[in-house]
Amino acid sequence: ELKVEQNPLFLSMQEGKNYTIYCNYSTTSDRLYWYRQDPGKSLESLFVLLSNGAVKQEGRLMASLDTKARLSTLHITAAVHDLSATYFCAGILNTGTASKLTFGTGTRLQVTL
Amino acid sequence: KAGVTQTPRYLIKTRGQQVTLSCSPISGHRSVSWYQQTPGQGLQFLFEYFSETQRNKGNFPGRFSGRQFSNSRSEMNVSTLELGDSALYLCASSPLRPDTQYFGPGTRLTVL
C-alpha cells in the first residue's frame, strides 16, 4: 500500500522568501502529482512528474522527483501572497488495470507581507 | 472545453437518509474517480470507474456505492447517512489511466 507524507503541515512565510515543501512516499509510485487547493475550492493540477530526475517549473513554483529517495519537492521562489493555498502531493499506484491517487496530508501555505 | 461538473454543490441531509451525487466528466474522459475530503482524514479515494466498470474501490463501507453510465457520467450514492459522512465529495476525470486527474468543484454534504 502506498503511503504519502508531506511536511511541513503548515508554513508561514514572508513575501519574497524561498521555501521547500517535502513529499515522501513509501513505495514505488508510477508518477507523482502536485495539486493546489484554495479555501472552499476544488483541486487544481500543478505538476505531474513521470520519472526520476524530472523537474518542472511554472512561475515561482518548481517541482522535482527523486525516485531512488522516494522524495518529491515543491520549491517556492520569492513567494507572493497569491501563492497562499494548501498544496497536496499525490502518488499513484497501478494495481493491475486500476489506479488511484493517494494524497499526502497537505501543506497549508500562508504568505504574509 | 468545459471542466468537470458536479451537482448539487451543497446538500444538507439528516442521519439515516440516503443521497445521490452526480458528476459529469470532461468531454472525452472515460475515467471517473471519487474522493472524500474531511478535515480529520484528508483526501481519501472512494472508487474509480472506467467504461462503466468499477476498477478500484477504497476502504469505505458498502453504504458507499457508485456507477457510471455509457456517456461516462457518474453517480455515487450513500445510504443510511451518518454524521461522519459530512464531507466534501470530489469527482475527478481523466482521459486514460493513469493520467492527470482533473477535479470538479465538489459537493459539500452536511449530515445533521
Side-chain angles (χ1 to χ4, degrees):
Chain A
E1 185 184 345
L2 177 62
K3 294 187 190 301
V4 179
E5 291 184 355
Q6 272 180 255
N7 67 82
L9 296 182
F10 180 73
L11 178 56
S12 180
M13 54 191 299
Q14 288 184 315
E15 276 201 336
K17 299 290 187 182
N18 304 332
Y19 211 82
T20 301
I21 299 171
Y22 297 89
C23 175
N24 291 90
Y25 52 97
S26 62
T27 186
T28 303
S29 178
D30 289 333
R31 49 189 67 190
L32 199 292
Y33 298 88
W34 285 95
Y35 285 89
R36 167 183 171 148
Q37 186 176 40
D38 291 293
K41 304 290 186 182
S42 187
L43 295 165
E44 175 191 354
S45 175
L46 293 174
F47 302 108
V48 54
L49 303 166
L50 302 178
S51 59
N52 188 43
V55 177
K56 290 199 172 178
Q57 183 162 7
E58 180 74 34
R60 301 174 188 273
L61 301 177
M62 183 174 72
S64 65
L65 179 63
D66 181 344
T67 58
K68 292 179 182 177
R70 295 180 184 164
L71 171 69
S72 180
T73 59
L74 181 66
H75 186 73
I76 303 151
T77 302
V80 292
H81 181 71
D82 285 351
L83 291 178
S84 297
T86 299
Y87 294 85
F88 292 92
C89 65
I92 195 158
L93 193 62
N94 264 330
T95 53
T97 58
S99 59
K100 65 178 186 180
L101 285 174
T102 299
F103 283 88
T105 50
T107 296
R108 187 176 156 215
L109 172 65
Q110 185 176 64
V111 180
T112 58
L113 295 171
Chain B
K1 216 177 210 184
V4 179
T5 58
Q6 292 186 246
T7 56
R9 294 292 310 279
Y10 302 91
L11 207 47
I12 299 176
K13 292 284 189 179
T14 56
R15 280 182 299 175
Q17 288 187 309
Q18 75 165 16
V19 67
T20 299
L21 311 181
S22 181
C23 171
S24 292
I26 292 170
S27 178
H29 287 195
R30 295 169 63 191
S31 172
V32 173
S33 299
W34 289 88
Y35 295 85
Q36 181 197 65
Q37 185 176 28
T38 60
Q41 300 298 317
L43 279 153
Q44 292 187 287
F45 172 81
L46 280 157
F47 25 65
E48 180 209 2
Y49 286 88
F50 186 84
S51 295
E52 301 178 66
T53 302
Q54 186 181 89
R55 293 295 188 182
N56 205 352
K57 191 176 190 306
N59 296 324
F60 279 82
R63 300 184 297 108
F64 291 81
S65 63
R67 59 178 175 169
Q68 187 180 31
F69 301 95
S70 58
N71 61 358
S72 294
R73 190 178 70 84
S74 177
E75 289 181 347
M76 67 163 280
N77 183 276
V78 188
S79 62
T80 320
L81 284 166
E82 299 178 0
L83 296 179
D85 296 334
S86 294
L88 180 65
Y89 290 88
L90 293 163
C91 166
S93 75
S94 62
L96 298 170
R97 291 179 298 107
D99 204 332
T100 298
Q101 295 182 22
Y102 297 91
F103 284 79
T107 294
R108 185 162 296 280
L109 171 66
T110 302
V111 181
L112 302 175

